[in-house]
Coordinates of all heavy atoms in Angstrom, one line a residue:
M1 N -39.8 10.6 -49.8 CA -39.7 11.2 -48.5 C -39.6 10.1 -47.5 O -38.8 10.1 -46.6 CB -41.0 12.0 -48.3 CG -41.1 12.6 -46.9 SD -40.4 14.2 -46.9 CE -40.7 14.7 -45.2
N2 N -40.5 9.0 -47.7 CA -40.5 7.9 -46.7 C -39.1 7.2 -46.8 O -38.6 6.8 -45.8 CB -41.6 7.0 -47.0 CG -41.9 6.1 -45.9 OD1 -41.4 6.3 -44.8 ND2 -42.8 5.1 -46.1
S3 N -38.5 7.0 -48.0 CA -37.3 6.2 -48.1 C -36.1 7.1 -47.5 O -35.2 6.5 -47.0 CB -37.0 5.9 -49.6 OG -36.8 7.0 -50.3
I4 N -36.2 8.4 -47.6 CA -35.1 9.2 -47.0 C -35.2 9.0 -45.5 O -34.2 8.9 -44.8 CB -35.3 10.7 -47.4 CG1 -35.0 10.8 -48.9 CG2 -34.4 11.6 -46.6 CD1 -35.3 12.2 -49.4
S5 N -36.3 9.0 -44.9 CA -36.5 8.8 -43.5 C -35.9 7.5 -43.0 O -35.2 7.3 -42.0 CB -37.9 8.9 -43.1 OG -38.4 10.2 -43.3
R6 N -36.2 6.4 -43.8 CA -35.7 5.1 -43.5 C -34.1 5.1 -43.6 O -33.4 4.6 -42.8 CB -36.2 4.1 -44.5 CG -37.5 3.5 -44.1 CD -37.9 2.3 -44.9 NE -39.3 2.2 -44.9 CZ -40.0 1.7 -45.9 NH1 -39.4 1.2 -46.9 NH2 -41.3 1.7 -45.9
R7 N -33.6 5.8 -44.7 CA -32.2 5.9 -44.8 C -31.5 6.6 -43.6 O -30.5 6.1 -43.1 CB -31.8 6.6 -46.1 CG -30.3 6.7 -46.4 CD -30.0 7.3 -47.7 NE -30.4 6.4 -48.7 CZ -30.5 6.8 -50.0 NH1 -30.2 8.0 -50.3 NH2 -30.9 6.0 -50.9
S8 N -32.2 7.7 -43.2 CA -31.6 8.4 -42.1 C -31.7 7.6 -40.8 O -30.7 7.5 -40.0 CB -32.4 9.7 -41.8 OG -32.3 10.6 -42.9
L9 N -32.8 6.8 -40.7 CA -32.9 6.0 -39.5 C -31.8 4.9 -39.5 O -31.2 4.6 -38.5 CB -34.3 5.4 -39.5 CG -34.6 4.4 -38.3 CD1 -34.5 5.2 -37.0 CD2 -36.0 3.8 -38.4
L10 N -31.7 4.2 -40.7 CA -30.7 3.2 -40.8 C -29.2 3.7 -40.6 O -28.4 3.1 -39.9 CB -30.8 2.5 -42.1 CG -32.0 1.6 -42.3 CD1 -32.1 1.1 -43.8 CD2 -31.9 0.4 -41.4
T11 N -29.0 4.9 -41.2 CA -27.6 5.5 -41.0 C -27.4 5.8 -39.5 O -26.3 5.5 -39.0 CB -27.5 6.7 -41.9 OG1 -27.8 6.4 -43.2 CG2 -26.1 7.3 -41.8
G12 N -28.4 6.4 -38.9 CA -28.2 6.7 -37.5 C -28.0 5.5 -36.6 O -27.2 5.5 -35.7
S13 N -28.8 4.4 -36.9 CA -28.7 3.2 -36.2 C -27.3 2.6 -36.3 O -26.6 2.1 -35.4 CB -29.7 2.2 -36.6 OG -31.0 2.7 -36.3
L14 N -26.8 2.6 -37.6 CA -25.4 2.1 -37.9 C -24.4 2.9 -37.1 O -23.5 2.3 -36.5 CB -25.2 2.1 -39.4 CG -23.8 1.6 -39.8 CD1 -23.6 0.1 -39.4 CD2 -23.6 1.7 -41.3
Q15 N -24.5 4.2 -37.1 CA -23.6 5.1 -36.4 C -23.6 4.8 -34.9 O -22.5 4.7 -34.3 CB -23.8 6.5 -36.6 CG -23.5 7.0 -38.1 CD -24.0 8.4 -38.4 OE1 -24.8 8.9 -37.7 NE2 -23.4 9.0 -39.4
L16 N -24.8 4.6 -34.3 CA -24.9 4.3 -32.9 C -24.2 2.9 -32.6 O -23.5 2.8 -31.6 CB -26.3 4.3 -32.5 CG -26.9 5.7 -32.3 CD1 -28.4 5.6 -31.9 CD2 -26.2 6.5 -31.2
T17 N -24.5 2.0 -33.5 CA -23.9 0.6 -33.3 C -22.4 0.7 -33.3 O -21.7 0.1 -32.5 CB -24.4 -0.3 -34.4 OG1 -25.8 -0.4 -34.3 CG2 -23.8 -1.7 -34.2
L18 N -21.8 1.4 -34.3 CA -20.4 1.6 -34.4 C -19.8 2.3 -33.2 O -18.8 1.9 -32.7 CB -20.0 2.3 -35.7 CG -20.2 1.6 -37.0 CD1 -20.0 2.4 -38.2 CD2 -19.3 0.3 -37.0
L19 N -20.5 3.3 -32.8 CA -20.0 4.0 -31.6 C -20.0 3.1 -30.4 O -19.1 3.1 -29.6 CB -20.9 5.3 -31.3 CG -20.5 6.5 -32.1 CD1 -21.6 7.6 -31.8 CD2 -19.2 7.0 -31.8
G20 N -21.0 2.3 -30.2 CA -21.1 1.4 -29.1 C -20.0 0.3 -29.2 O -19.4 0.0 -28.2
T21 N -19.8 -0.2 -30.4 CA -18.7 -1.2 -30.5 C -17.4 -0.6 -30.2 O -16.6 -1.2 -29.5 CB -18.7 -1.7 -32.0 OG1 -20.0 -2.2 -32.3 CG2 -17.7 -2.7 -32.2
V22 N -17.1 0.6 -30.7 CA -15.8 1.3 -30.4 C -15.7 1.5 -28.9 O -14.6 1.3 -28.3 CB -15.7 2.6 -31.2 CG1 -14.5 3.4 -30.7 CG2 -15.5 2.3 -32.7
G23 N -16.8 1.9 -28.2 CA -16.8 2.1 -26.8 C -16.5 0.9 -26.0 O -15.7 0.9 -25.1
V24 N -17.1 -0.2 -26.4 CA -16.8 -1.5 -25.8 C -15.4 -2.0 -26.0 O -14.7 -2.4 -25.0 CB -17.8 -2.6 -26.3 CG1 -17.4 -4.0 -25.8 CG2 -19.2 -2.3 -25.8
I25 N -14.9 -1.8 -27.2 CA -13.5 -2.2 -27.4 C -12.5 -1.3 -26.6 O -11.6 -1.8 -26.0 CB -13.2 -2.1 -28.9 CG1 -13.9 -3.2 -29.7 CG2 -11.7 -2.1 -29.2 CD1 -13.8 -3.0 -31.2
A26 N -12.8 0.0 -26.6 CA -11.9 0.9 -25.8 C -12.0 0.6 -24.3 O -10.9 0.5 -23.7 CB -12.3 2.3 -26.0
A27 N -13.1 0.3 -23.8 CA -13.2 -0.1 -22.4 C -12.5 -1.4 -22.1 O -11.8 -1.6 -21.1 CB -14.7 -0.2 -22.0
G28 N -12.6 -2.4 -23.0 CA -12.0 -3.6 -22.9 C -10.5 -3.5 -22.9 O -9.7 -4.2 -22.2
C29 N -9.9 -2.6 -23.7 CA -8.5 -2.4 -23.9 C -7.9 -1.9 -22.6 O -6.7 -2.2 -22.3 CB -8.2 -1.5 -25.0 SG -8.5 -2.2 -26.6
Q30 N -8.6 -1.2 -21.8 CA -8.0 -0.6 -20.6 C -7.8 -1.7 -19.6 O -7.0 -1.6 -18.7 CB -9.0 0.4 -20.0 CG -9.1 1.6 -20.8 CD -10.2 2.6 -20.3 OE1 -11.0 2.2 -19.5 NE2 -10.2 3.8 -20.9
K31 N -8.5 -2.9 -19.7 CA -8.3 -3.9 -18.7 C -7.5 -5.1 -19.3 O -7.4 -6.1 -18.7 CB -9.7 -4.4 -18.3 CG -10.5 -3.4 -17.5 CD -11.8 -3.9 -17.1 CE -12.5 -2.8 -16.3 NZ -13.7 -3.2 -15.7
T32 N -6.9 -4.9 -20.4 CA -6.1 -6.0 -21.1 C -4.6 -5.6 -20.9 O -4.2 -4.6 -21.3 CB -6.4 -6.1 -22.6 OG1 -7.8 -6.3 -22.7 CG2 -5.7 -7.2 -23.2
P33 N -3.9 -6.5 -20.3 CA -2.4 -6.3 -20.1 C -1.7 -6.3 -21.5 O -2.2 -6.9 -22.4 CB -2.0 -7.4 -19.3 CG -2.9 -8.5 -19.5 CD -4.3 -7.8 -19.8
A34 N -0.6 -5.5 -21.6 CA 0.1 -5.4 -22.8 C 0.8 -6.8 -23.1 O 0.9 -7.1 -24.3 CB 1.2 -4.3 -22.7
V35 N 1.1 -7.5 -22.1 CA 1.8 -8.8 -22.2 C 1.0 -9.8 -21.4 O 0.6 -9.6 -20.3 CB 3.2 -8.7 -21.7 CG1 3.9 -10.1 -21.8 CG2 4.0 -7.7 -22.5
V36 N 0.8 -11.0 -22.0 CA 0.1 -12.1 -21.3 C 1.2 -13.1 -21.1 O 1.8 -13.6 -22.0 CB -1.0 -12.7 -22.1 CG1 -1.6 -13.9 -21.4 CG2 -2.1 -11.7 -22.3
C37 N 1.5 -13.4 -19.8 CA 2.6 -14.2 -19.4 C 2.2 -15.7 -19.2 O 2.9 -16.6 -19.5 CB 3.3 -13.7 -18.2 SG 4.0 -12.1 -18.5
A38 N 1.0 -15.9 -18.6 CA 0.6 -17.2 -18.2 C -0.4 -17.7 -19.2 O -1.6 -17.4 -19.2 CB 0.0 -17.2 -16.8
N39 N 0.1 -18.6 -20.1 CA -0.8 -19.2 -21.1 C -1.5 -20.4 -20.5 O -0.8 -21.4 -20.1 CB 0.1 -19.6 -22.3 CG -0.8 -20.3 -23.4 OD1 -2.0 -20.4 -23.2 ND2 -0.1 -20.7 -24.5
P40 N -2.8 -20.3 -20.3 CA -3.5 -21.4 -19.7 C -3.3 -22.7 -20.4 O -3.3 -23.8 -19.7 CB -5.0 -21.0 -19.8 CG -5.0 -19.5 -20.0 CD -3.7 -19.2 -20.7
D41 N -3.1 -22.7 -21.7 CA -2.9 -24.0 -22.4 C -1.6 -24.7 -22.1 O -1.4 -25.9 -22.3 CB -2.9 -23.7 -23.9 CG -4.3 -23.3 -24.4 OD1 -5.3 -23.6 -23.7 OD2 -4.4 -22.6 -25.4
S42 N -0.6 -23.9 -21.5 CA 0.7 -24.5 -21.2 C 0.8 -24.9 -19.8 O 1.9 -25.4 -19.3 CB 1.8 -23.5 -21.6 OG 1.8 -22.4 -20.8
L43 N -0.2 -24.6 -19.0 CA -0.1 -24.9 -17.5 C -0.8 -26.2 -17.2 O -1.8 -26.6 -17.9 CB -0.8 -23.8 -16.7 CG -0.2 -22.4 -16.9 CD1 -1.1 -21.4 -16.2 CD2 1.2 -22.4 -16.3
R44 N -0.3 -27.0 -16.3 CA -0.9 -28.2 -15.8 C -2.1 -27.9 -15.0 O -2.3 -26.8 -14.5 CB 0.1 -29.0 -15.0 CG 1.2 -29.6 -15.9 CD 2.2 -30.4 -15.1 NE 2.8 -29.4 -14.1 CZ 3.6 -29.8 -13.1 NH1 3.9 -31.1 -12.9 NH2 4.1 -28.9 -12.2
D45 N -3.0 -28.9 -14.9 CA -4.3 -28.7 -14.1 C -4.0 -28.1 -12.7 O -4.7 -27.2 -12.3 CB -5.1 -30.0 -14.1 CG -5.7 -30.3 -15.5 OD1 -5.7 -29.4 -16.3 OD2 -6.1 -31.5 -15.6
A46 N -3.0 -28.7 -12.0 CA -2.8 -28.3 -10.6 C -2.3 -26.8 -10.6 O -2.7 -26.1 -9.7 CB -1.7 -29.2 -10.0
E47 N -1.5 -26.4 -11.6 CA -1.0 -25.1 -11.7 C -2.2 -24.1 -11.9 O -2.3 -23.0 -11.3 CB 0.0 -24.9 -12.8 CG 1.3 -25.7 -12.5 CD 2.2 -25.7 -13.7 OE1 1.8 -25.7 -14.8 OE2 3.5 -25.8 -13.5
M48 N -3.1 -24.5 -12.9 CA -4.2 -23.7 -13.2 C -5.1 -23.6 -11.9 O -5.7 -22.5 -11.6 CB -5.0 -24.2 -14.3 CG -4.6 -23.7 -15.7 SD -4.6 -22.0 -15.8 CE -6.3 -21.6 -15.8
S49 N -5.3 -24.7 -11.2 CA -6.2 -24.7 -10.1 C -5.6 -23.8 -9.0 O -6.4 -23.0 -8.4 CB -6.2 -26.1 -9.5 OG -7.0 -26.2 -8.4
L50 N -4.3 -23.8 -8.7 CA -3.7 -22.9 -7.8 C -3.9 -21.4 -8.2 O -4.3 -20.6 -7.3 CB -2.3 -23.2 -7.6 CG -1.5 -22.4 -6.5 CD1 -2.2 -22.5 -5.2 CD2 0.0 -22.8 -6.5
R51 N -3.7 -21.1 -9.4 CA -3.9 -19.8 -9.9 C -5.3 -19.3 -9.7 O -5.6 -18.2 -9.3 CB -3.5 -19.7 -11.4 CG -2.0 -19.7 -11.5 CD -1.5 -19.8 -13.0 NE -0.1 -20.0 -13.0 CZ 0.8 -19.1 -13.3 NH1 0.4 -17.9 -13.7 NH2 2.1 -19.4 -13.3
Q52 N -6.2 -20.2 -10.0 CA -7.6 -19.8 -9.9 C -8.0 -19.7 -8.4 O -8.8 -18.7 -8.1 CB -8.5 -20.9 -10.6 CG -8.4 -20.8 -12.1 CD -9.1 -22.0 -12.8 OE1 -9.5 -23.0 -12.1 NE2 -9.4 -21.9 -14.1
S53 N -7.5 -20.5 -7.6 CA -7.9 -20.4 -6.2 C -7.3 -19.2 -5.5 O -7.9 -18.6 -4.6 CB -7.4 -21.7 -5.4 OG -6.0 -21.7 -5.3
L54 N -6.2 -18.7 -6.0 CA -5.6 -17.4 -5.5 C -6.0 -16.2 -6.3 O -5.5 -15.1 -6.1 CB -4.1 -17.5 -5.5 CG -3.5 -18.6 -4.5 CD1 -2.0 -18.6 -4.7 CD2 -3.9 -18.2 -3.1
H55 N -6.9 -16.4 -7.3 CA -7.5 -15.4 -8.1 C -6.4 -14.6 -8.8 O -6.4 -13.4 -8.9 CB -8.4 -14.4 -7.3 CG -9.5 -15.1 -6.6 ND1 -9.6 -15.2 -5.2 CD2 -10.6 -15.7 -7.1 CE1 -10.7 -15.9 -4.9 NE2 -11.3 -16.2 -6.1
Y56 N -5.4 -15.3 -9.4 CA -4.4 -14.7 -10.2 C -5.0 -14.0 -11.4 O -5.8 -14.5 -12.0 CB -3.3 -15.7 -10.6 CG -2.3 -15.1 -11.6 CD1 -1.3 -14.3 -11.2 CD2 -2.5 -15.3 -13.0 CE1 -0.5 -13.7 -12.1 CE2 -1.6 -14.7 -13.9 CZ -0.6 -13.9 -13.4 OH 0.3 -13.3 -14.3
T57 N -4.5 -12.8 -11.6 CA -4.9 -12.0 -12.8 C -3.7 -11.4 -13.4 O -2.7 -11.0 -12.7 CB -6.0 -11.0 -12.4 OG1 -6.3 -10.3 -13.6 CG2 -5.5 -10.0 -11.4
E58 N -3.7 -11.3 -14.7 CA -2.5 -10.8 -15.5 C -2.4 -9.2 -15.3 O -1.4 -8.7 -15.6 CB -2.7 -11.1 -17.0 CG -2.5 -12.5 -17.3 CD -1.0 -12.9 -17.5 OE1 -0.2 -12.1 -18.0 OE2 -0.6 -14.0 -17.1
L59 N -3.5 -8.6 -14.9 CA -3.5 -7.2 -14.6 C -4.1 -6.9 -13.3 O -5.3 -7.1 -13.1 CB -4.2 -6.4 -15.8 CG -4.1 -4.9 -15.8 CD1 -2.7 -4.5 -15.9 CD2 -5.0 -4.4 -16.9
S60 N -3.3 -6.4 -12.4 CA -3.7 -6.1 -11.0 C -4.8 -5.1 -11.0 O -4.7 -4.0 -11.6 CB -2.6 -5.7 -10.1 OG -3.0 -5.4 -8.8
P61 N -5.8 -5.3 -10.1 CA -6.8 -4.2 -10.0 C -6.3 -3.1 -9.1 O -6.9 -2.1 -9.0 CB -8.0 -5.0 -9.3 CG -7.4 -6.1 -8.6 CD -6.2 -6.5 -9.4
R62 N -5.2 -3.4 -8.4 CA -4.6 -2.3 -7.5 C -3.2 -2.0 -8.0 O -2.3 -2.8 -8.0 CB -4.5 -2.9 -6.1 CG -5.8 -3.3 -5.5 CD -5.7 -3.9 -4.1 NE -6.9 -4.6 -3.8 CZ -7.0 -5.9 -3.5 NH1 -5.9 -6.6 -3.4 NH2 -8.1 -6.5 -3.2
S63 N -3.1 -0.8 -8.4 CA -1.8 -0.3 -9.1 C -0.6 -0.5 -8.1 O 0.5 -0.7 -8.6 CB -1.9 1.1 -9.6 OG -2.2 2.0 -8.5
E64 N -0.8 -0.4 -6.8 CA 0.3 -0.5 -5.9 C 0.6 -1.9 -5.5 O 1.7 -2.2 -4.9 CB 0.0 0.4 -4.6 CG -1.0 -0.2 -3.7 CD -2.5 0.0 -4.1 OE1 -2.7 0.6 -5.2 OE2 -3.3 -0.5 -3.4
Q65 N -0.3 -2.8 -5.8 CA -0.1 -4.2 -5.5 C 0.1 -5.0 -6.8 O -0.9 -5.6 -7.3 CB -1.2 -4.8 -4.6 CG -1.2 -4.2 -3.3 CD -2.3 -4.9 -2.4 OE1 -2.9 -5.9 -2.7 NE2 -2.5 -4.4 -1.2
V66 N 1.3 -5.0 -7.3 CA 1.5 -5.8 -8.6 C 2.6 -6.8 -8.3 O 3.4 -6.7 -7.3 CB 2.0 -4.8 -9.7 CG1 0.8 -3.9 -10.1 CG2 3.2 -4.1 -9.3
C67 N 2.6 -7.8 -9.1 CA 3.6 -8.9 -8.9 C 5.1 -8.4 -8.8 O 5.8 -8.9 -8.0 CB 3.5 -9.9 -10.0 SG 2.0 -10.9 -10.0
A68 N 5.4 -7.4 -9.6 CA 6.7 -6.8 -9.6 C 7.1 -6.3 -8.2 O 8.3 -6.2 -7.9 CB 6.9 -5.7 -10.6
R69 N 6.2 -6.0 -7.4 CA 6.4 -5.5 -6.0 C 6.1 -6.5 -4.9 O 6.0 -6.2 -3.8 CB 5.6 -4.2 -5.8 CG 6.0 -3.1 -6.7 CD 5.1 -1.9 -6.3 NE 5.5 -0.7 -7.2 CZ 4.8 0.4 -7.2 NH1 3.7 0.6 -6.4 NH2 5.1 1.4 -8.0
C70 N 6.0 -7.7 -5.3 CA 5.7 -8.8 -4.4 C 6.9 -9.6 -4.0 O 7.8 -9.8 -4.9 CB 4.6 -9.8 -5.1 SG 4.2 -11.2 -4.1
G71 N 7.0 -10.1 -2.8 CA 8.1 -10.8 -2.3 C 8.3 -12.2 -3.0 O 9.4 -12.7 -2.9
F72 N 7.3 -12.7 -3.6 CA 7.4 -14.0 -4.3 C 7.8 -13.9 -5.8 O 8.0 -14.9 -6.4 CB 6.0 -14.7 -4.2 CG 5.6 -15.1 -2.8 CD1 4.5 -14.4 -2.2 CD2 6.3 -16.1 -2.1 CE1 4.2 -14.8 -0.9 CE2 5.9 -16.4 -0.8 CZ 4.8 -15.8 -0.2
F73 N 7.9 -12.6 -6.2 CA 8.2 -12.4 -7.7 C 9.7 -12.5 -7.9 O 10.5 -12.0 -7.1 CB 7.7 -11.0 -8.1 CG 7.9 -10.7 -9.5 CD1 7.1 -11.2 -10.5 CD2 9.0 -9.8 -9.9 CE1 7.3 -10.9 -11.8 CE2 9.2 -9.5 -11.2 CZ 8.3 -10.1 -12.2
E74 N 10.1 -13.1 -9.0 CA 11.5 -13.2 -9.5 C 11.5 -12.6 -10.9 O 10.8 -13.2 -11.8 CB 12.0 -14.6 -9.5 CG 12.1 -15.1 -8.1 CD 12.7 -16.6 -8.0 OE1 12.2 -17.4 -8.9 OE2 13.5 -16.8 -7.2
A75 N 12.2 -11.5 -11.1 CA 12.3 -10.9 -12.5 C 13.1 -11.9 -13.4 O 14.0 -12.6 -12.9 CB 13.0 -9.6 -12.4
S76 N 12.9 -11.8 -14.6 CA 13.6 -12.6 -15.6 C 14.0 -11.7 -16.8 O 13.6 -10.5 -16.8 CB 12.9 -13.8 -16.0 OG 11.6 -13.5 -16.5
A77 N 14.7 -12.2 -17.7 CA 15.2 -11.4 -18.8 C 14.1 -10.9 -19.7 O 14.2 -9.8 -20.2 CB 16.2 -12.2 -19.6
G78 N 13.0 -11.6 -19.9 CA 12.0 -11.2 -20.8 C 11.0 -10.2 -20.1 O 11.3 -9.7 -19.0
A79 N 9.9 -10.0 -20.7 CA 8.8 -9.1 -20.2 C 8.1 -9.7 -19.0 O 7.5 -9.0 -18.3 CB 7.9 -8.8 -21.4
C80 N 8.2 -11.0 -18.9 CA 7.5 -11.7 -17.8 C 8.5 -12.1 -16.7 O 9.7 -12.1 -16.9 CB 6.8 -13.0 -18.3 SG 5.6 -12.6 -19.6
G81 N 8.0 -12.4 -15.5 CA 8.8 -12.9 -14.4 C 8.2 -14.2 -14.0 O 7.3 -14.8 -14.7
T82 N 8.7 -14.7 -12.9 CA 8.2 -16.0 -12.4 C 7.8 -15.8 -10.9 O 8.2 -14.9 -10.2 CB 9.2 -17.1 -12.4 OG1 10.4 -16.8 -11.8 CG2 9.5 -17.5 -13.9
C83 N 6.9 -16.6 -10.4 CA 6.4 -16.5 -9.1 C 6.9 -17.8 -8.3 O 6.7 -18.9 -8.8 CB 4.9 -16.4 -9.1 SG 4.2 -16.5 -7.4
K84 N 7.5 -17.6 -7.1 CA 8.0 -18.7 -6.3 C 6.8 -19.5 -5.8 O 6.9 -20.7 -5.6 CB 8.8 -18.2 -5.1 CG 10.0 -17.5 -5.5 CD 10.7 -16.9 -4.2 CE 11.7 -15.9 -4.6 NZ 12.2 -15.2 -3.4
L85 N 5.7 -18.8 -5.6 CA 4.5 -19.5 -5.0 C 3.7 -20.3 -6.1 O 3.4 -21.4 -5.9 CB 3.6 -18.5 -4.4 CG 2.5 -18.9 -3.5 CD1 3.1 -19.6 -2.2 CD2 1.6 -17.8 -3.0
L86 N 3.5 -19.6 -7.2 CA 2.7 -20.3 -8.3 C 3.6 -21.1 -9.2 O 3.1 -21.8 -10.0 CB 2.0 -19.2 -9.1 CG 1.0 -18.3 -8.4 CD1 0.3 -17.4 -9.4 CD2 0.0 -19.1 -7.7
K87 N 4.9 -21.0 -9.0 CA 5.9 -21.8 -9.8 C 5.6 -21.7 -11.3 O 5.4 -22.7 -11.9 CB 5.8 -23.3 -9.3 CG 6.1 -23.4 -7.8 CD 6.4 -24.8 -7.4 CE 6.6 -25.0 -6.0 NZ 7.2 -24.1 -5.2
G88 N 5.7 -20.5 -11.8 CA 5.5 -20.4 -13.2 C 5.5 -18.9 -13.6 O 5.7 -18.0 -12.8
P89 N 5.3 -18.7 -14.9 CA 5.3 -17.3 -15.4 C 4.2 -16.5 -14.9 O 3.1 -16.9 -14.7 CB 5.2 -17.5 -16.9 CG 4.6 -18.8 -17.1 CD 5.0 -19.7 -15.9
V90 N 4.5 -15.3 -14.5 CA 3.5 -14.3 -14.1 C 3.8 -12.9 -14.7 O 5.0 -12.7 -15.1 CB 3.4 -14.1 -12.6 CG1 2.9 -15.4 -11.9 CG2 4.7 -13.7 -12.0
N91 N 2.8 -12.1 -14.8 CA 3.0 -10.8 -15.4 C 3.5 -9.8 -14.3 O 2.9 -9.8 -13.2 CB 1.6 -10.3 -15.9 CG 1.7 -9.1 -16.8 OD1 2.4 -8.2 -16.5 ND2 1.1 -9.2 -18.0
P92 N 4.5 -9.1 -14.6 CA 4.9 -8.1 -13.5 C 3.8 -7.2 -13.1 O 3.8 -6.6 -12.0 CB 6.0 -7.3 -14.3 CG 6.5 -8.2 -15.3 CD 5.3 -9.0 -15.8
K93 N 2.8 -7.0 -13.9 CA 1.7 -6.1 -13.6 C 0.5 -6.9 -13.0 O -0.6 -6.4 -12.8 CB 1.2 -5.3 -14.8 CG 2.2 -4.3 -15.3 CD 1.7 -3.5 -16.4 CE 2.8 -2.6 -16.9 NZ 2.4 -1.8 -18.1
G94 N 0.7 -8.2 -12.8 CA -0.3 -9.1 -12.3 C -0.6 -9.0 -10.8 O 0.0 -8.2 -10.1
H95 N -1.4 -9.9 -10.3 CA -1.8 -9.9 -8.9 C -2.4 -11.2 -8.5 O -3.0 -11.9 -9.4 CB -2.7 -8.7 -8.6 CG -3.2 -8.6 -7.2 ND1 -4.3 -9.2 -6.7 CD2 -2.6 -8.0 -6.1 CE1 -4.5 -9.0 -5.4 NE2 -3.4 -8.2 -5.0
C96 N -2.3 -11.6 -7.2 CA -3.1 -12.7 -6.7 C -3.4 -12.4 -5.2 O -2.8 -11.4 -4.7 CB -2.4 -14.0 -6.9 SG -1.2 -14.5 -5.7
D97 N -4.2 -13.2 -4.6 CA -4.6 -13.0 -3.2 C -3.4 -13.1 -2.3 O -3.5 -12.7 -1.1 CB -5.7 -14.0 -2.8 CG -7.0 -13.8 -3.5 OD1 -7.1 -12.7 -4.1 OD2 -7.8 -14.7 -3.5
S98 N -2.3 -13.8 -2.7 CA -1.2 -13.9 -1.8 C -0.1 -12.8 -1.9 O 1.0 -13.0 -1.4 CB -0.5 -15.3 -2.0 OG -1.3 -16.3 -1.6
W99 N -0.5 -11.8 -2.6 CA 0.4 -10.6 -2.7 C 1.0 -10.3 -1.3 O 0.3 -10.1 -0.4 CB -0.2 -9.4 -3.4 CG 0.8 -8.3 -3.6 CD1 1.5 -8.2 -4.8 CD2 1.1 -7.2 -2.8 NE1 2.3 -7.1 -4.7 CE2 2.1 -6.5 -3.5 CE3 0.7 -6.8 -1.5 CZ2 2.7 -5.3 -2.9 CZ3 1.3 -5.7 -1.0 CH2 2.3 -5.0 -1.7
N100 N 2.3 -10.1 -1.3 CA 3.0 -9.7 -0.1 C 4.1 -8.8 -0.5 O 5.0 -9.1 -1.3 CB 3.6 -11.0 0.6 CG 3.9 -10.8 2.0 OD1 3.9 -9.7 2.5 ND2 4.2 -11.9 2.7
A101 N 4.2 -7.6 0.1 CA 5.1 -6.6 -0.2 C 6.6 -7.1 -0.2 O 7.0 -7.8 0.8 CB 5.0 -5.4 0.7
A102 N 7.3 -6.9 -1.2 CA 8.7 -7.3 -1.3 C 9.5 -6.4 -0.3 O 9.2 -5.2 -0.1 CB 9.3 -7.1 -2.7
K103 N 10.5 -7.0 0.4 CA 11.3 -6.2 1.3 C 12.4 -5.5 0.4 O 13.0 -6.1 -0.5 CB 12.0 -7.2 2.3 CG 11.0 -7.8 3.2 CD 11.7 -8.8 4.2 CE 10.6 -9.3 5.0 NZ 10.8 -10.7 5.4
S104 N 12.6 -4.3 0.8 CA 13.6 -3.5 0.0 C 14.9 -3.4 0.7 O 15.1 -3.9 1.7 CB 13.0 -2.1 -0.3 OG 12.6 -1.5 0.9
Ligands
SF4_201 S1 2.4 -14.4 -5.0 FE1 0.8 -13.6 -6.3 S2 1.1 -11.4 -6.4 FE2 3.0 -12.4 -5.7 S3 4.3 -12.7 -7.5 FE3 3.1 -14.5 -7.2 S4 1.2 -14.2 -8.4 FE4 2.2 -12.2 -8.2

């Protein structure tokens, strides 16, 4: 009887742990862009510093303010574009503090 209770307790704990892990992974996936354009390892220190000072992020927190709709964005053939201001690859779904609406 006592070992069955322990088994139930351990099984229940394992299930809760797995549910929590799946929940954390699912929540994390929502904030992860499908494509990562700016590889920090390939950027020079000055480029990284500028990106950090402008709070560049690969996935914009504001759906209407994304790099693809910014006046500094230049589309390219691949999944990523480039930024005239940051002088390097950026994610079309990215964002930074210098976002400025592109003129249509
Ligand atoms: S200025 Fe900022 S928001 Fe605009 S394209 Fe460059 S990184 Fe994106």
Side-chain angles (χ1 to χ4, degrees):
M1 176 95 173
N2 197 10
S3 66
I4 293 174
S5 295
R6 275 191 208 153
R7 181 177 293 167
S8 296
L9 180 64
L10 288 172
T11 303
S13 296
L14 180 61
Q15 288 172 339
L16 284 176
T17 301
L18 288 173
L19 278 174
T21 303
V22 169
V24 168
I25 290 171
C29 288
Q30 293 172 349
K31 295 183 179 183
T32 305
V35 175
V36 176
C37 297
N39 179 1
D41 295 336
S42 66
L43 298 172
R44 292 178 297 172
D45 288 347
E47 293 170 332
M48 269 308 289
S49 178
L50 181 57
R51 285 170 189 258
Q52 288 172 344
S53 68
L54 293 177
H55 302 113
Y56 170 76
T57 178
E58 289 277 322
L59 188 60
S60 176
R62 302 178 194 121
S63 60
E64 74 284 358
Q65 292 186 7
V66 293
C67 290
R69 294 182 181 172
C70 175
F72 295 110
F73 182 78
E74 294 180 317
S76 55
C80 302
T82 57
C83 173
K84 295 176 197 170
L85 195 63
L86 299 185
K87 303 193 184 323
V90 292
N91 194 313
K93 295 181 180 178
H95 178 267
C96 85
D97 293 345
S98 292
W99 186 89
N100 198 349
K103 293 180 180 144
S104 49

